[in-house]
Amino acid sequence: MAVLKTILIVALILICVIVTAIVLLQEGKSAGLGAIAGSSDTYWSRHKDRSMEGVLVKVTRVLIALFLLISIVLNIGSF
């Protein structure tokens, strides 16, 4: 049981580091002053899910779900 707990803690730390790096790589969600003139409605703003930005968002969601799951398992195991 101690080996499994150690493995989960190491995985949790790795996920934290990776999520931090991925979040720092992402662009901000604010449109800025371009939204006033309507210039934010471009091809890339409508198809972000197919770009690298969309991939980063999806990977972030998956890693956060894993983070929450591992955190819950470690918390339940501490009782």
Side-chain angles (χ1 to χ4, degrees):
M1 211 54 175
V3 174
L4 180 62
K5 186 175 181 179
T6 305
I7 291 171
L8 288 176
I9 290 173
V10 169
L12 191 68
I13 292 170
L14 286 174
I15 289 172
C16 289
V17 171
I18 293 169
V19 166
T20 303
I22 289 175
V23 167
L24 289 174
L25 288 173
Q26 294 179 12
E27 294 180 11
K29 299 293 181 189
S30 63
L33 292 176
I36 296 172
S39 65
S40 65
D41 190 30
T42 63
Y43 176 78
W44 293 112
S45 67
R46 288 180 284 167
H47 296 89
K48 274 192 173 181
D49 56 333
R50 298 180 191 168
S51 67
M52 182 58 81
E53 181 71 23
V55 172
L56 288 175
V57 170
K58 290 177 186 175
V59 170
T60 302
R61 289 180 182 160
V62 169
L63 288 175
I64 292 297
L66 281 173
F67 174 82
L68 291 173
L69 182 67
I70 292 174
S71 297
I72 290 170
V73 167
L74 285 172
N75 191 24
I76 291 173
S78 66
F79 287 114

